[in-house]
Amino acid sequence: MRVLVVTAVPAERDAVTRAFGGEPEVREVPGAELRHAGPFDVLAGGAGPAAAAAATAFALASAPAATPYALVVSAGIGGGFAPAAPVGSLVVATRIVAADLGAETPDGFVPVTGLGFGRDTFLPPEALVRDVAEATGAVPGPVLTVSTVTGSAARTAELLAAHPGAVAEAMEGFGVAEAADRFGVPALELRAVSNTVGPRDREAWRIGDALAALTAAFGKTAPVVESWNRHDRLDRHRD
């Protein structure tokens, strides 16, 4: 099977490919380079949901018709909501949520779905989420996509009130899932926690530790993804 992994920046891309050792094979696609490692094609698509969606769409459209992608993974580091996801832990999304897509009103924030159009949530395959969580120790829960990283206790409280049980925030997952959905491909989001969501304290961030955790996670994720794909194909064949 072929799996597309989309990160924001090269450091995250390289953390994923390091899980498989050696020098990854490099292939050009419009606007990016794909690094082939293990069962994954990995690219750094840029920061934010728009860049992530564009990079994902270009990569999916560039896949040979005979060997399309079976899964797209949004991966990288992100902020974890305490105490559910402490620094250094892993999270896997049960829901990929656009947390700030909508409108401010006198009564508060209204998501895009409340405005009567669009969508604000994608659901990764439940069995795959469960198996990845078991294999990697990742905390399952909603992962929020934001265009502005949270930097205050007040905003943290707002997000948790609107999305109870959220485990992390990042900037690309919803864009990746949106593009994957247009191609009829399921999406997964897997993140390593580099900092706690809340007041910004860069000295407390542990980016190196989070990248190392991401590398370890992908070494354990590859066989899980391959097993899920086999079972998914069998289930669809039976149907």
Side-chain angles (χ1 to χ4, degrees), residues 133-165:
E134 289 178 356
T136 65
V139 179
V143 175
L144 311 183
T145 298
V146 295
S147 294
T148 301
V149 174
T150 300
S152 71
R155 179 57 177 158
T156 303
E158 289 175 2
L159 288 173
L160 287 174
H163 307 284

Side-chain angles (χ1 to χ4, degrees), residues 3 6 12 17 35 37-38 43 46 51 86 97-98 103 130 135 146 161 163-164 170 179 181 186 201 205 219-220:
V3 178
V6 183
E12 295 166 321
T17 61
R35 307 289 175 93
L43 65 83
V97 183
R130 182 193 64 235
V146 295
H163 307 284
D181 185 69
D201 178 8
W205 290 21
K220 298 172 183 177

Side-chain angles (χ1 to χ4, degrees), residues 114-142:
L115 300 175
F117 56 88
R119 66 185 300 176
D120 62 1
T121 301
F122 288 97
L123 301 179
E126 185 176 345
L128 180 58
V129 170
R130 182 193 64 235
D131 293 347
V132 168
E134 289 178 356
T136 65
V139 179

Side-chain angles (χ1 to χ4, degrees), residues 1-4 60 67-73 125 128 184-187 225 228-229 232-233 236:
M1 70 175 296
R2 300 183 70 207
V3 178
L4 176 65
L60 289 171
T67 54
Y69 288 107
L71 177 70
V72 180
V73 183
L128 180 58
V185 181
V225 167
W228 166 80
N229 183 59
D232 183 61
R233 284 186 298 176
R236 282 186 277 119

Side-chain angles (χ1 to χ4, degrees), residues 71-199:
L71 177 70
V72 180
V73 183
S74 177
I77 64 177
F81 287 100
V87 172
S89 65
L90 296 164
V91 299
V92 60
T94 56
R95 299 164 61 87
I96 301 172
V97 183
D100 54 10
L101 182 63
E104 290 289 346
T105 77
D107 298 320
F109 178 77
V110 178
V112 66
T113 52
L115 300 175
F117 56 88
R119 66 185 300 176
D120 62 1
T121 301
F122 288 97
L123 301 179
E126 185 176 345
L128 180 58
V129 170
R130 182 193 64 235
D131 293 347
V132 168
E134 289 178 356
T136 65
V139 179
V143 175
L144 311 183
T145 298
V146 295
S147 294
T148 301
V149 174
T150 300
S152 71
R155 179 57 177 158
T156 303
E158 289 175 2
L159 288 173
L160 287 174
H163 307 284
V167 294
E169 73 168 21
M171 300 180 74
E172 293 79 32
F174 188 82
V176 171
E178 182 78 77
D181 185 69
R182 302 291 178 97
F183 284 82
V185 181
L188 183 75
E189 185 167 9
L190 179 62
R191 301 230 166 234
V193 176
S194 60
N195 59 282
T196 298
V197 177

